[in-house]
Amino acid sequence: MEISEDILQYVFSWLPAKPIYRFKAVCKSSSEFSTNKLFAWTQARNLQVKDDSGFFLQPSLSTGFKHRDKVEYHSLPGEQLFSGVPQKSLQSLQNTGSKVLASSNGLILCQNTKTPDDRNLFLCNPTTQTWRTIPTPQDLGGVNWPKGVVLECNINNPISDPDHQDYMLLIIHPPRDWLPHYECKIYSPKEGGWKEKKIHKFGPRTLHLDMPVYHNGAVHFVSDCRDPSVRRGSVYYRPYIVAYDINNDITRKLRLPNDARKGSDGTVHNSKLGIFKWGSRKSSSESICLVRLKKYVFTAWVLRDYDSVSWIRIMKIRVRAMGLMEPNPNYIAGFTVMNGKTLLFATRKKVYSYNMIGRSQQIEQVCERQCQCQYDNYWNVCFTSYSNTLHPLGIGAATLPDI
């Protein structure tokens, strides 16, 4: 029984890019799928509703990213057959000293440290080994890293236009000595340039710009736990979340749950807050997850109602109680939440995953850490989730250079 090419394309378009490339070697009909631009758009659209299958692991910005620092890629448990990044792509990132800043639907935004000019910011699809440069704002040249970076790719329908560009790129700067307010820059692919906005109402606390959450048309940042300059009695004395509505230029302060605010007044030095996306993609359950690591205990809450800022606690567990089989398991070098349900965290030498919902809460070792940061302190690695799609890059795309 013969299967028509249309049916094959439909079935294959629901697969991650890695098995599609594997089928090229054994199925003549599928050998041209990866180079068909309409098929690539369809496959990228279909995978928008699926979980990310892997992640990049690298030194965090706070530890001072250097040319020699290595960017690793790892698949989640059970995803090794479906997730992967070609070694050539990783080697190219390594050779350019590139830092992965953000990821969405198979595209990653990177900045390299070896070209201190206006071309060191670029979009890349590591699966298809393609890239295109993005004009870098003048005050971001060289190795001055962008802070709050959001990359969002949305495909509502299969698109036959090979030059279609469907992403949003946003960068937020913290205040500087000569500029007391936050700055927002939005990149327009159609116009090929950046639009600037000024934001004043972010509050006095330092914001964790390295973990933005784009939700409900706004980008969200959580504040630092410690700020000795904020005095007791101030409305900003406890940590909070700031939401910036991009379209309406409105900022809003979201209150943290009461039990998350307790002990977060600057007296506890080994406390860390993070916010992440929560719930199934493109569904009503999508929300924000708040995670606190305090005194070697992970606690997590989910924003149950956005308008009333109502939270519900979903997890509280001590690191040692998770069952890590290694010396000094209390040392946590970084953590994140992937796919709205999985807590990922790194120790000195390993990365673990922990299912935060349901009855199957268990620890799994994901991988061994390859990179060891030059600074042996807390929070020295960061995670960037990734889904390997055939997402095209549009005008200006080229093959990754052999450097």
Side-chain angles (χ1 to χ4, degrees), residues 78 219 235 273:
V219 58
V235 294
L273 287 174

Side-chain angles (χ1 to χ4, degrees), residues 50-103:
K50 294 183 176 294
D51 288 343
D52 289 344
S53 55
F55 59 91
F56 292 95
L57 182 68
Q58 58 196 348
S60 65
L61 296 182
S62 60
T63 58
F65 195 84
K66 305 297 182 183
H67 300 326
R68 63 181 177 275
D69 289 332
K70 188 174 184 180
V71 177
E72 307 174 26
Y73 181 81
H74 300 285
S75 301
L76 289 177
E79 295 288 345
Q80 289 82 357
L81 294 177
F82 307 100
S83 175
V85 169
Q87 186 59 39
K88 176 185 175 181
S89 297
L90 289 175
Q91 190 62 49
S92 180
L93 294 177
Q94 175 71 23
N95 291 341
T96 56
S98 294
K99 171 79 173 180
V100 179
L101 302 175
S103 171

Side-chain angles (χ1 to χ4, degrees), residues 9-15 39-50 105 155 158:
Q9 285 201 27
Y10 174 77
V11 172
F12 275 58
S13 70
W14 288 94
L15 295 176
F39 176 80
W41 282 118
T42 305
Q43 189 263 353
R45 180 209 60 181
N46 290 346
L47 261 66
Q48 278 188 316
V49 298
K50 294 183 176 294
N105 197 228
I155 307 173

Side-chain angles (χ1 to χ4, degrees), residues 319-338:
V319 173
R320 286 186 178 275
M322 290 179 168
L324 279 66
M325 300 300 293
E326 64 173 279
N328 191 23
N330 285 334
Y331 181 89
I332 305 298
F335 63 85
T336 191
V337 173
M338 272 189 66

Side-chain angles (χ1 to χ4, degrees), residues 229-303:
S229 66
V230 182
R231 298 183 179 182
R232 186 182 295 273
S234 168
V235 294
Y236 298 104
Y237 182 64
R238 302 289 185 183
Y240 49 86
I241 292 174
V242 167
Y244 170 55
D245 187 322
I246 300 170
N247 295 323
N248 299 313
D249 277 339
I250 298 173
T251 56
R252 179 190 178 193
K253 177 171 166 283
L254 305 183
R255 180 187 178 98
L256 299 188
N258 289 333
D259 44 348
R261 288 153 49 94
K262 294 177 180 178
S264 297
D265 54 0
T267 59
V268 180
H269 295 282
N270 59 343
S271 182
K272 176 75 171 181
L273 287 174
I275 56 172
F276 312 95
K277 288 186 177 181
W278 181 260
S280 302
R281 293 179 178 178
K282 311 298 181 182
S283 73
S284 58
S285 64
E286 196 174 25
S287 186
I288 296 175
C289 177
L290 169 71
V291 178
R292 183 181 70 178
L293 178 62
K294 175 185 173 185
K295 295 182 178 179
Y296 314 119
V297 176
F298 277 115
T299 311
W301 300 263
V302 171
L303 188 59

Side-chain angles (χ1 to χ4, degrees), residues 10 19 87 94 115 155 170 179 187 193 213 230 278 306 378 392 398:
Y10 174 77
Q87 186 59 39
Q94 175 71 23
T115 57
I155 307 173
L170 176 145
L179 288 174
Y187 180 74
V213 174
V230 182
W278 181 260
Y306 189 84
Y378 287 109

